[in-house]
Amino acid sequence: MAIYAQSSGPHATNSSSWTPIPGLALTLPEGIGTTAIVILDVPNPFAQGNNFPGGNFGITINGTPSSVVAVFTYNEQVPQSTGRIPTTLVVGVPLGNKPQAIVGVWSGIRGSTVNIDTPATLTALL
């Protein structure tokens, strides 16, 4: 079984703390003894800034951030252009005795603004 959410954009954040990605939320069903594979796919993000810009991507489980994250940064302090950095995160989430809310989250690195202008997806495989 698959559960799926897709964003529409464009979206941007310059928050230094985790912020929900609009449209990327789903609910895992109960299921003790089973692990869901949760995939956050952001195929074309880019960042803007003047201190090696980049972005963090993760998920929250019932409001608690997972310790597993995906990150990108540029190699130049001030990039001449905002190249696209495809970013995918895969996390195993044990199912529990009640449904769990999963939300895709993101934040900027070192004051940069992270942008998504194409659809991103949050998928759970059970």
Short mmCIF file of all heavy atoms in Angstrom, two decimals, residues 58-97:
data_model
loop_
_atom_site.label_atom_id
_atom_site.label_comp_id
_atom_site.label_asym_id
_atom_site.label_seq_id
_atom_site.Cartn_x
_atom_site.Cartn_y
_atom_site.Cartn_z
N GLY A 58 13.56 17.39 6.02
CA GLY A 58 13.30 16.32 6.96
C GLY A 58 11.82 16.02 7.05
O GLY A 58 11.02 16.51 6.26
N ILE A 59 11.47 15.21 8.03
CA ILE A 59 10.06 14.93 8.33
C ILE A 59 9.86 15.06 9.83
O ILE A 59 10.80 14.94 10.62
CB ILE A 59 9.62 13.51 7.87
CG1 ILE A 59 10.38 12.41 8.62
CG2 ILE A 59 9.72 13.36 6.37
CD1 ILE A 59 9.80 11.02 8.45
N THR A 60 8.62 15.33 10.20
CA THR A 60 8.24 15.22 11.60
C THR A 60 7.26 14.07 11.73
O THR A 60 6.49 13.77 10.81
CB THR A 60 7.59 16.51 12.16
OG1 THR A 60 6.39 16.80 11.41
CG2 THR A 60 8.54 17.69 12.10
N ILE A 61 7.31 13.41 12.87
CA ILE A 61 6.42 12.30 13.18
C ILE A 61 5.63 12.72 14.41
O ILE A 61 6.21 12.89 15.49
CB ILE A 61 7.23 11.01 13.45
CG1 ILE A 61 8.14 10.71 12.26
CG2 ILE A 61 6.28 9.84 13.76
CD1 ILE A 61 9.25 9.73 12.56
N ASN A 62 4.34 12.96 14.23
CA ASN A 62 3.50 13.50 15.31
C ASN A 62 4.12 14.75 15.93
O ASN A 62 4.12 14.93 17.14
CB ASN A 62 3.23 12.44 16.38
CG ASN A 62 2.31 11.35 15.90
OD1 ASN A 62 1.47 11.58 15.04
ND2 ASN A 62 2.47 10.16 16.45
N GLY A 63 4.71 15.60 15.08
CA GLY A 63 5.27 16.87 15.53
C GLY A 63 6.71 16.82 15.99
O GLY A 63 7.32 17.86 16.23
N THR A 64 7.30 15.63 16.09
CA THR A 64 8.69 15.48 16.53
C THR A 64 9.59 15.28 15.33
O THR A 64 9.37 14.35 14.54
CB THR A 64 8.83 14.29 17.49
OG1 THR A 64 7.97 14.49 18.61
CG2 THR A 64 10.26 14.13 17.96
N PRO A 65 10.62 16.12 15.16
CA PRO A 65 11.51 15.95 14.00
C PRO A 65 12.27 14.62 14.06
O PRO A 65 12.75 14.21 15.12
CB PRO A 65 12.49 17.12 14.12
CG PRO A 65 11.79 18.11 14.98
CD PRO A 65 10.95 17.32 15.94
N SER A 66 12.37 13.96 12.93
CA SER A 66 13.21 12.78 12.79
C SER A 66 14.67 13.22 12.82
O SER A 66 15.00 14.31 12.35
CB SER A 66 12.91 12.06 11.48
OG SER A 66 13.87 11.06 11.21
N SER A 67 15.54 12.38 13.33
CA SER A 67 16.97 12.71 13.34
C SER A 67 17.62 12.47 11.98
O SER A 67 18.75 12.90 11.74
CB SER A 67 17.70 11.89 14.41
OG SER A 67 17.56 10.51 14.15
N VAL A 68 16.90 11.80 11.07
CA VAL A 68 17.41 11.55 9.73
C VAL A 68 17.02 12.73 8.84
O VAL A 68 15.84 13.06 8.74
CB VAL A 68 16.84 10.22 9.16
CG1 VAL A 68 17.41 9.95 7.78
CG2 VAL A 68 17.11 9.08 10.12
N VAL A 69 18.02 13.38 8.23
CA VAL A 69 17.76 14.56 7.41
C VAL A 69 18.53 14.46 6.09
O VAL A 69 19.47 13.67 5.96
CB VAL A 69 18.15 15.87 8.14
CG1 VAL A 69 17.32 16.05 9.39
CG2 VAL A 69 19.62 15.90 8.46
N ALA A 70 18.14 15.28 5.13
CA ALA A 70 18.85 15.46 3.87
C ALA A 70 19.23 16.93 3.76
O ALA A 70 18.43 17.80 4.13
CB ALA A 70 17.98 15.03 2.69
N VAL A 71 20.43 17.21 3.27
CA VAL A 71 20.95 18.57 3.25
C VAL A 71 21.68 18.81 1.93
O VAL A 71 22.32 17.90 1.40
CB VAL A 71 21.95 18.77 4.42
CG1 VAL A 71 22.58 20.15 4.39
CG2 VAL A 71 21.28 18.51 5.76
N PHE A 72 21.60 20.03 1.43
CA PHE A 72 22.48 20.43 0.33
C PHE A 72 23.03 21.81 0.61
O PHE A 72 22.38 22.63 1.27
CB PHE A 72 21.77 20.38 -1.04
CG PHE A 72 20.83 21.54 -1.30
CD1 PHE A 72 21.31 22.73 -1.83
CD2 PHE A 72 19.48 21.43 -1.04
CE1 PHE A 72 20.45 23.80 -2.09
CE2 PHE A 72 18.61 22.48 -1.29
CZ PHE A 72 19.10 23.67 -1.81
N THR A 73 24.25 22.06 0.13
CA THR A 73 24.84 23.39 0.16
C THR A 73 25.62 23.58 -1.15
O THR A 73 26.01 22.62 -1.80
CB THR A 73 25.81 23.60 1.35
OG1 THR A 73 26.86 22.64 1.26
CG2 THR A 73 25.09 23.47 2.68
N TYR A 74 25.84 24.84 -1.49
CA TYR A 74 26.66 25.15 -2.65
C TYR A 74 28.13 25.20 -2.25
O TYR A 74 28.45 25.47 -1.09
CB TYR A 74 26.24 26.50 -3.25
CG TYR A 74 24.88 26.46 -3.90
CD1 TYR A 74 23.75 26.89 -3.21
CD2 TYR A 74 24.72 25.99 -5.20
CE1 TYR A 74 22.50 26.84 -3.79
CE2 TYR A 74 23.47 25.94 -5.80
CZ TYR A 74 22.37 26.37 -5.08
OH TYR A 74 21.13 26.33 -5.66
N ASN A 75 29.00 24.96 -3.20
CA ASN A 75 30.44 24.97 -2.93
C ASN A 75 31.03 26.37 -2.91
O ASN A 75 32.14 26.56 -2.43
CB ASN A 75 31.19 24.15 -4.00
CG ASN A 75 30.83 22.69 -3.94
OD1 ASN A 75 30.54 22.16 -2.87
ND2 ASN A 75 30.84 22.02 -5.08
N GLU A 76 30.30 27.35 -3.44
CA GLU A 76 30.79 28.73 -3.48
C GLU A 76 30.07 29.55 -2.41
O GLU A 76 28.89 29.37 -2.17
CB GLU A 76 30.53 29.37 -4.85
CG GLU A 76 31.19 28.66 -6.01
CD GLU A 76 30.35 27.50 -6.55
OE1 GLU A 76 29.12 27.51 -6.35
OE2 GLU A 76 30.92 26.58 -7.14
N GLN A 77 30.81 30.50 -1.83
CA GLN A 77 30.19 31.35 -0.80
C GLN A 77 29.01 32.12 -1.38
O GLN A 77 27.95 32.19 -0.78
CB GLN A 77 31.21 32.31 -0.20
CG GLN A 77 30.59 33.14 0.91
CD GLN A 77 31.61 33.93 1.70
OE1 GLN A 77 32.78 33.95 1.37
NE2 GLN A 77 31.15 34.58 2.75
N VAL A 78 29.22 32.71 -2.57
CA VAL A 78 28.14 33.41 -3.26
C VAL A 78 28.06 32.82 -4.67
O VAL A 78 28.80 33.25 -5.56
CB VAL A 78 28.40 34.94 -3.31
CG1 VAL A 78 27.24 35.65 -4.00
CG2 VAL A 78 28.62 35.51 -1.92
N PRO A 79 27.21 31.83 -4.89
CA PRO A 79 27.13 31.19 -6.20
C PRO A 79 26.76 32.18 -7.30
O PRO A 79 25.91 33.05 -7.10
CB PRO A 79 26.03 30.14 -6.03
CG PRO A 79 25.90 29.94 -4.56
CD PRO A 79 26.28 31.24 -3.93
N GLN A 80 27.40 32.03 -8.46
CA GLN A 80 27.08 32.89 -9.59
C GLN A 80 25.70 32.61 -10.14
O GLN A 80 25.07 33.48 -10.72
CB GLN A 80 28.12 32.73 -10.69
CG GLN A 80 29.48 33.26 -10.30
CD GLN A 80 30.47 33.13 -11.45
OE1 GLN A 80 30.12 32.79 -12.58
NE2 GLN A 80 31.72 33.40 -11.15
N SER A 81 25.23 31.37 -9.99
CA SER A 81 23.88 31.02 -10.41
C SER A 81 23.31 30.02 -9.40
O SER A 81 24.04 29.39 -8.65
CB SER A 81 23.87 30.41 -11.81
OG SER A 81 24.55 29.17 -11.81
N THR A 82 21.99 29.91 -9.39
CA THR A 82 21.32 29.03 -8.43
C THR A 82 21.02 27.70 -9.10
O THR A 82 19.90 27.44 -9.53
CB THR A 82 20.03 29.67 -7.91
OG1 THR A 82 19.22 30.04 -9.03
CG2 THR A 82 20.32 30.89 -7.07
N GLY A 83 22.03 26.85 -9.20
CA GLY A 83 21.85 25.52 -9.76
C GLY A 83 20.88 24.69 -8.94
O GLY A 83 20.69 24.92 -7.74
N ARG A 84 20.26 23.73 -9.57
CA ARG A 84 19.30 22.85 -8.90
C ARG A 84 20.04 21.71 -8.21
O ARG A 84 20.98 21.14 -8.76
CB ARG A 84 18.29 22.28 -9.90
CG ARG A 84 17.55 23.34 -10.70
CD ARG A 84 16.83 24.33 -9.78
NE ARG A 84 16.19 25.38 -10.52
CZ ARG A 84 14.89 25.64 -10.45
NH1 ARG A 84 14.10 24.93 -9.68
NH2 ARG A 84 14.38 26.63 -11.15
N ILE A 85 19.61 21.38 -6.99
CA ILE A 85 20.25 20.33 -6.20
C ILE A 85 19.17 19.31 -5.80
O ILE A 85 18.54 19.44 -4.74
CB ILE A 85 20.93 20.90 -4.93
CG1 ILE A 85 21.80 22.11 -5.23
CG2 ILE A 85 21.70 19.79 -4.23
CD1 ILE A 85 23.04 21.81 -6.05
N PRO A 86 18.90 18.29 -6.63
CA PRO A 86 17.89 17.30 -6.29
C PRO A 86 18.19 16.68 -4.92
O PRO A 86 19.33 16.32 -4.62
CB PRO A 86 18.00 16.25 -7.40
CG PRO A 86 18.62 17.00 -8.54
CD PRO A 86 19.54 18.01 -7.91
N THR A 87 17.16 16.57 -4.08
CA THR A 87 17.35 16.10 -2.71
C THR A 87 16.25 15.10 -2.37
O THR A 87 15.06 15.40 -2.52
CB THR A 87 17.30 17.29 -1.73
OG1 THR A 87 18.25 18.27 -2.16
CG2 THR A 87 17.63 16.86 -0.33
N THR A 88 16.66 13.92 -1.90
CA THR A 88 15.71 12.88 -1.53
C THR A 88 16.09 12.34 -0.16
O THR A 88 17.26 12.09 0.12
CB THR A 88 15.70 11.73 -2.56
OG1 THR A 88 15.35 12.27 -3.83
CG2 THR A 88 14.71 10.65 -2.18
N LEU A 89 15.09 12.15 0.68
CA LEU A 89 15.26 11.62 2.03
C LEU A 89 14.43 10.35 2.15
O LEU A 89 13.27 10.32 1.75
CB LEU A 89 14.78 12.65 3.06
CG LEU A 89 14.72 12.21 4.51
CD1 LEU A 89 16.12 11.99 5.07
CD2 LEU A 89 13.98 13.25 5.34
N VAL A 90 15.02 9.28 2.71
CA VAL A 90 14.31 8.03 2.93
C VAL A 90 14.44 7.68 4.41
O VAL A 90 15.55 7.60 4.94
CB VAL A 90 14.88 6.89 2.06
CG1 VAL A 90 14.14 5.58 2.32
CG2 VAL A 90 14.83 7.25 0.59
N VAL A 91 13.30 7.48 5.08
CA VAL A 91 13.28 7.22 6.52
C VAL A 91 12.36 6.03 6.81
O VAL A 91 11.24 5.99 6.31
CB VAL A 91 12.76 8.45 7.31
CG1 VAL A 91 12.79 8.18 8.81
CG2 VAL A 91 13.55 9.70 6.97
N GLY A 92 12.83 5.11 7.63
CA GLY A 92 11.97 4.03 8.11
C GLY A 92 11.25 4.50 9.36
O GLY A 92 11.88 4.95 10.32
N VAL A 93 9.92 4.40 9.36
CA VAL A 93 9.11 4.84 10.50
C VAL A 93 8.32 3.65 11.03
O VAL A 93 7.41 3.17 10.34
CB VAL A 93 8.15 5.99 10.11
CG1 VAL A 93 7.29 6.39 11.30
CG2 VAL A 93 8.92 7.18 9.56
N PRO A 94 8.65 3.17 12.23
CA PRO A 94 7.87 2.07 12.79
C PRO A 94 6.42 2.52 13.04
O PRO A 94 6.19 3.59 13.60
CB PRO A 94 8.56 1.76 14.11
CG PRO A 94 9.93 2.35 13.99
CD PRO A 94 9.77 3.55 13.08
N LEU A 95 5.47 1.69 12.62
CA LEU A 95 4.07 2.01 12.88
C LEU A 95 3.75 1.69 14.33
O LEU A 95 4.39 0.84 14.96
CB LEU A 95 3.17 1.22 11.94
CG LEU A 95 3.37 1.47 10.44
CD1 LEU A 95 2.35 0.71 9.63
CD2 LEU A 95 3.35 2.94 10.11
N GLY A 96 2.77 2.38 14.87
CA GLY A 96 2.41 2.21 16.27
C GLY A 96 0.99 1.71 16.43
O GLY A 96 0.36 1.25 15.48
N ASN A 97 0.47 1.86 17.65
CA ASN A 97 -0.88 1.39 17.94
C ASN A 97 -1.95 2.44 17.65
O ASN A 97 -3.11 2.24 17.96
CB ASN A 97 -0.99 0.90 19.39
CG ASN A 97 -0.65 1.99 20.38
OD1 ASN A 97 -0.35 3.11 20.00
ND2 ASN A 97 -0.68 1.66 21.66
#
